Every structure is written in structure tokens, then in C-alpha cells.
Amino acid sequence: MTETELHRLTEDGRRLVGESFMEGEATLTEEQLNEYVEPMPGNPTADLDRIDSAVQQVLEQYPEYDTAIDGALAEEIHRGLDITRRTAGDPGLWHWLAVVRYPDLVRHRWEYRSEEAMREKFLGAGSDLYSNAIHRLWWIAQLTSRQDDYSTTDAVFANQTMVNKVFDRWFARYQPAVRAMCDELAGESSRVIDETTRRFNHALTNVQLEGLSEAEASEMIEQIVVESR
Amino acid sequence: MPEEAVQAVFPENERSEPPAKLYVTIRCHETIYRDREVISETHTTPGEYDVSIEVSKHTVRGTIELRPYLVRTEARSGKGPNGYADQKNFRVASGTLYYVVVDRHEEEERAAIDGERVRFSQNAHLPDGNKLYYLDFRNESRPKLWINSDHPRIAELLQTRGSVGAEARMRDVILDQVSYGVWVQLLVRAGSAVDVEGDVEHEWQEMVLQTFARNLYETSDVSEATHRLRDDLSDPQTLPHVMQRIDSELQEYIDPREQLIHLMEEGLQI
């Protein structure tokens, strides 16, 4: 395993990302990028070789815009990027990964529908779990994995309704609740997922989210799932 | 925890041994982190609690929010509703929200403009009528934003500090509305204050132009953008077009749809 030093794209560097780059008609040269790429504070490293080969495999084996790409990559990206939340909270890291390291992957997974939507896939990040193409995979794996067990992560990515409905809600930031939600909803229909996440969110106007243990969250969600079927 | 809080949120027969736990929530938006530190398991009686919370720096960045909550630990059996929360884990009280600044950004050390909440009806120098806010340029070097607290409900809403629930969502929609009006004025004022050299006199003008000018003209050259803004604002032919650019840029920057959608989905439950 080779550890590679991680970098970040500076705020000014975001200006390099224009429409033609996002559409794949133009590339950014090392010379253009140099000025805007800097080492991450604290010099964290990661096993990018592992991610490189997983990405290469996906590009060769999966058709464009196939949502199954998410499930094929999430665990590999999370294992390869063994970083702290503090490091992962720097948007510049995700911008560097999307714009400099893996732009082909972003274009392969996400169809160019509008400049605004594609810009989010390259330059989103922060607390929005559903923005940057790579940040999204890492964070969902971070919130749903249990040490070496990625079964909940796999179940989530096997169902895009779950990805959309669960991770767009604020409760998804609280690990015990999001794990309970994903476990309880595995195998449920889109309608039940939609209804359950909406009703659970509504219940949180009275129930304090962080007061719930994973078992209590499961109990509450199980009841809502039964009522939603 | 004050005695009065227990009296207010628990029925009489529960007050000697309140079925409640006390904990502090730990939230960090930048690292998508939400956790809690339990201070007292049930029963939680009135009194002072010494709290020590250790948060690893590896898990946070920017600012952390800490806030105490009191929640019920069991459902209340017996007769029908009596005005008290009666379900397990229902929030019955909360305390002051504290911020711990982990990383201070240089540019955030001093706000560009001051703000104050005051009753407009009782201050002769503030506008008449039911204004929500007023941006005061009497001191051109440091503009001041006044928020009207004549309406107690609005004033109270604007003081809420949470990030979820109907009040927080409504507050964010109102703040978006205020900030749109404020930024338009700041941008037009700053753009009109640019001199022939492309310079401005005050720090806030510099900050506004650094933030917005390049995006208005889609250029990376702030000096070019600043000159163009000044020229466009001073020419009646280009003024309507630059106002449209400003409107578009501010909608991108503030993104009023986002908070409105949150309000509809979470606050209004529609």
C-alpha cells in the first residue's frame, strides 16, 4: 500500500472549473492547476492507489450514469481515504479529488444536465451530503459503516430512493439514527421510504434527536414503518 | 436546572422524581457531527450539574455548538392529555446554546457591519411604519443594520438559535429576506463609491466588492470587475442590466429557495 499526500483546491481554484471542463471538452493542465493546489493542513495521506484501481475498474465495467457505480465505489473510497472528520470537513479536499484526481469518474457517473447541477458534483461539499460526487460516497459510508462492516452502506446504495430520501434530511447527520433508519428501511418500497422519512422527521419536532440511542431510534422507526406500509 | 423548570414541564405527581435525563448535544456543521454527552440519567432533580465535555479535535473544525436538553425518559401513563409532554424522549426543556470556536478564520474576526435589534417606534432616528429592518449609512465608514423589534413575535423568532423545527426555518427565511435587501444596498453603494483608480475608501466596501464583483462579470480580475460595476451603475443605459446581474448573483449567493424548501418540508409539514 502506498500512501499519497492529500491536497486541496483553493477557493480561487474553483474559478478554473468552467462549462467545457465539466462537459469533458476541455482539460486542466498541471500548469494551470499548480497555482491553486496546496497540501492539506496537517499533511494527511491516503491510499489513493486503491481508489485509482477501483475507479479504473468502474470506468471500464459500468455504463455511463449507472447508479450502481455508487455501491461499487463507496467502500473502496472510504477505506482508501482513512481520514479524520476534521480533514473530511475541508471542502478543498473534495474539490481536489473531483476536479484534479477523478474528473472522468464524476462525468462518467453524472450526466451533464445543467451547469448548476454539474458544478455541484465537482464543487459541492461541506454539510450538504448530496452534493460533491466523491464527498457524498465517503460521507454516506462514514455514517453507515460499523468498523469493517459495510453491509448497511451496501444496502443504502442498492436503493437510490433511500440515498435521496434519507441523506437529504438533517437527522442523517446523527449516526445512531441514520444507521437505524437505513437498517429498518432496507427492502422497503419507495413509497414506504418516502413516508417513513417524512414522518420520522415530523416526529423530531417533539423528540430530541440526540436523546435517542440506536436501539430507541430503531424502535421508533420500526413503528413508523409498520404504519407507513 | 431551576426548580421552576421542573414545575413547568412535569405534572405534580412527577415533580419529586422527574422522569427525565439531562444531556448536552455537541454539533459541528462542518464535520457533519452530532453527538451528546449524558449528564444525568433519570431521575433528574433541580440543582447544579458540573459538566466536563471532551471533544477530539480530529472530529471537529470551525465552530462547535453545545446545548443542554432535558427529555422525558418514560411515557406518562394514566389519564388523557393534561398539557404536559407525555411521551418518552420528548424534549421538555433546553438551555443556552454555547459556541466553541475551534478555528477562527482571519476574515471573520470582525463583522463588516454592525447590527442591533431595537423598537423603531421608540427611536426618532429610525423610519416610521412597519419596517422590518433599516440599513443605516449615516456613518458611511461603518453601516449599521437595525432590526425592528416592535413586533414581539418577530423579534423573538429572530433570536431563536436552533437549526431545526418550524421557528428556526421561519427565522432563516426572514433572514434571507433581510440579507437580500441589505446586500443589494451594500453592493450598489460600494460600486458607486469606486474612484477612477478603482479604489474605495472603506473596509466594508472593499469586502463587498471582493466578494461579489468578479462573479457579477464572470472574470477573475477583481479590478476589471470593479471598474465595470462602477461604469454600469453610473450609466442609465446599463443600470437596468447591472441590477439584473446583481439580482441573479444574490439569488445564487443567498439561495432563498433552500430555506424556503426547508420551511415547507420541516416547519410547515407540507
Side-chain angles (χ1 to χ4, degrees):
Chain A
M1 172 176 113
T2 322
E3 288 284 308
T4 309
E5 194 179 337
L6 294 173
H7 288 74
R8 63 190 305 285
L9 187 70
T10 64
E11 269 185 50
D12 278 342
R14 296 180 206 173
R15 294 180 191 282
L16 296 173
V17 180
E19 213 169 335
S20 55
F21 170 78
M22 292 190 289
E23 285 188 290
E25 288 162 4
T27 50
L28 294 170
T29 63
E30 224 172 290
E31 203 184 345
Q32 284 174 295
L33 286 163
N34 270 346
E35 193 184 335
Y36 303 106
V37 172
E38 61 188 20
M40 287 284 290
N43 307 102
T45 58
D47 184 2
L48 293 188
D49 286 352
R50 177 181 190 148
I51 301 177
D52 286 349
S53 43
V55 166
Q56 197 49 45
Q57 213 172 335
V58 156
L59 293 177
E60 286 164 10
Q61 295 176 4
Y62 287 78
E64 280 187 319
Y65 321 133
D66 185 351
T67 55
I69 291 172
D70 295 346
L73 278 180
E75 181 180 337
E76 289 302 305
I77 285 178
H78 190 249
R79 284 184 188 274
L81 280 169
D82 184 13
I83 51 176
T84 64
R85 278 179 183 251
R86 183 172 172 76
T87 299
D90 185 339
L93 167 67
W94 304 106
H95 299 162
W96 176 70
L97 288 167
V99 174
V100 182
R101 289 285 303 204
Y102 306 113
D104 292 340
L105 170 68
V106 178
R107 296 185 199 108
H108 193 78
R109 168 63 182 87
W110 296 96
E111 186 177 2
Y112 187 101
R113 292 211 164 106
S114 71
E115 190 183 346
E116 193 191 351
M118 204 60 176
R119 186 167 288 277
E120 200 177 42
K121 296 301 164 208
F122 279 103
L123 296 177
S127 60
D128 185 355
L129 282 173
Y130 207 85
S131 54
N132 181 288
I134 299 161
H135 163 276
R136 166 179 170 273
L137 300 180
W138 190 90
W139 273 108
I140 292 178
Q142 169 75 9
L143 291 164
T144 54
S145 59
R146 294 171 174 88
Q147 276 96 38
D148 268 354
D149 178 4
Y150 286 83
S151 53
T152 305
T153 312
D154 293 339
V156 168
F157 283 115
N159 185 338
Q160 286 292 313
T161 310
M162 193 126 93
V163 182
N164 299 338
K165 293 292 173 185
V166 175
F167 291 91
D168 207 23
R169 302 280 193 180
W170 277 102
F171 65 73
R173 276 82 173 157
Y174 183 55
Q175 224 154 358
V178 75
R179 286 176 183 162
M181 180 62 82
C182 294
D183 286 344
E184 294 298 331
L185 288 178
E188 296 292 344
S189 68
S190 296
R191 192 193 59 77
V192 172
I193 293 171
D194 191 15
E195 184 66 11
T196 303
T197 50
R198 198 184 62 77
R199 288 170 70 156
F200 182 64
N201 207 41
H202 182 48
L204 295 177
T205 48
N206 291 319
V207 171
Q208 185 58 37
L209 181 65
E210 293 91 344
L212 300 174
S213 63
E214 188 170 334
E216 286 172 328
S218 284
E219 193 185 329
M220 207 174 143
I221 295 163
E222 196 183 342
Q223 180 66 33
I224 297 175
V225 170
V226 170
E227 290 164 9
S228 303
R229 275 181 192 142
Chain B
M1 186 170 76
E3 180 79 49
E4 305 83 73
V6 171
Q7 290 186 2
V9 298
F10 293 101
E12 207 169 347
N13 63 338
E14 290 183 338
R15 287 175 196 162
S16 59
E17 289 187 328
K21 68 178 170 189
L22 177 67
Y23 60 86
V24 175
T25 57
I26 308 156
R27 294 177 183 172
C28 178
H29 292 291
E30 289 191 40
T31 59
I32 311 188
Y33 181 66
R34 293 176 80 147
D35 204 352
R36 53 148 183 204
E37 181 84 20
V38 177
I39 308 304
S40 160
E41 298 280 3
T42 192
H43 307 285
T44 298
T45 49
E48 277 190 24
Y49 294 83
D50 279 333
V51 179
S52 170
I53 294 171
E54 202 169 299
V55 180
S56 163
K57 194 170 178 183
H58 292 311
T59 59
V60 293
R61 63 187 289 133
T63 302
I64 317 173
E65 296 173 13
L66 302 175
R67 188 172 207 172
Y69 284 98
L70 189 69
V71 298
R72 283 194 66 94
T73 47
E74 56 193 65
R76 192 163 50 77
S77 52
K79 304 167 208 101
N82 61 0
Y84 295 97
D86 58 2
Q87 296 297 311
K88 187 180 171 186
N89 283 313
F90 268 31
R91 177 175 49 243
V92 289
S94 63
T96 310
L97 174 66
Y98 291 91
Y99 294 95
V100 180
V101 178
V102 182
D103 306 285
R104 185 189 288 280
H105 298 297
E106 276 172 36
E107 66 269 27
E108 286 174 9
E109 279 176 6
R110 187 162 173 253
I113 62 166
D114 297 319
E116 195 173 326
R117 207 172 280 123
V118 73
R119 297 192 65 170
F120 281 21
S121 60
Q122 300 186 357
N123 285 277
H125 67 279
L126 295 173
D128 294 332
N130 297 321
K131 305 286 190 301
L132 177 60
Y133 65 91
Y134 174 62
L135 190 57
D136 188 347
F137 285 98
R138 283 173 303 168
N139 176 2
E140 187 79 28
S141 70
R142 195 147 176 84
K144 182 160 183 172
L145 174 65
W146 300 90
I147 302 275
N148 190 353
S149 61
D150 273 335
H151 193 295
R153 192 75 187 85
I154 296 175
E156 193 187 313
L157 194 75
L158 289 173
Q159 286 187 58
T160 56
R161 308 298 291 267
S163 57
V164 291
E167 288 201 332
R169 298 310 188 193
M170 177 66 93
R171 174 205 59 206
D172 291 342
V173 168
I174 297 174
L175 288 178
D176 278 354
Q177 190 186 352
V178 172
S179 65
Y180 183 92
V182 167
W183 280 120
V184 168
Q185 292 188 63
L186 291 174
L187 243 170
V188 171
R189 288 251 182 181
S192 306
V194 176
D195 65 19
V196 282
E197 307 285 314
D199 296 326
V200 285
E201 194 179 347
H202 306 298
E203 194 187 338
W204 69 266
Q205 294 165 336
E206 180 78 32
M207 184 278 286
V208 169
L209 295 170
Q210 283 285 348
T211 308
F212 292 107
R214 285 174 294 187
N215 287 349
L216 283 177
Y217 293 101
E218 288 168 13
T219 166
S220 56
D221 184 344
V222 70
S223 166
E224 180 204 332
T226 302
H227 275 106
R228 285 182 65 184
L229 178 62
R230 185 194 66 150
D231 294 346
D232 284 353
L233 284 169
S234 61
D235 182 347
Q237 295 287 327
T238 51
L239 184 61
H241 303 291
V242 75
M243 290 310 294
Q244 194 173 24
R245 279 176 192 267
I246 290 173
D247 173 76
S248 168
E249 171 57 20
L250 286 177
Q251 288 202 50
E252 287 270 322
Y253 182 75
I254 298 170
D255 194 5
R257 279 177 79 235
E258 191 188 356
Q259 301 301 353
L260 190 58
I261 291 168
H262 284 154
L263 175 66
M264 290 190 293
E265 285 186 345
E266 198 173 14
L268 303 176
Q269 296 299 326
I270 52 176

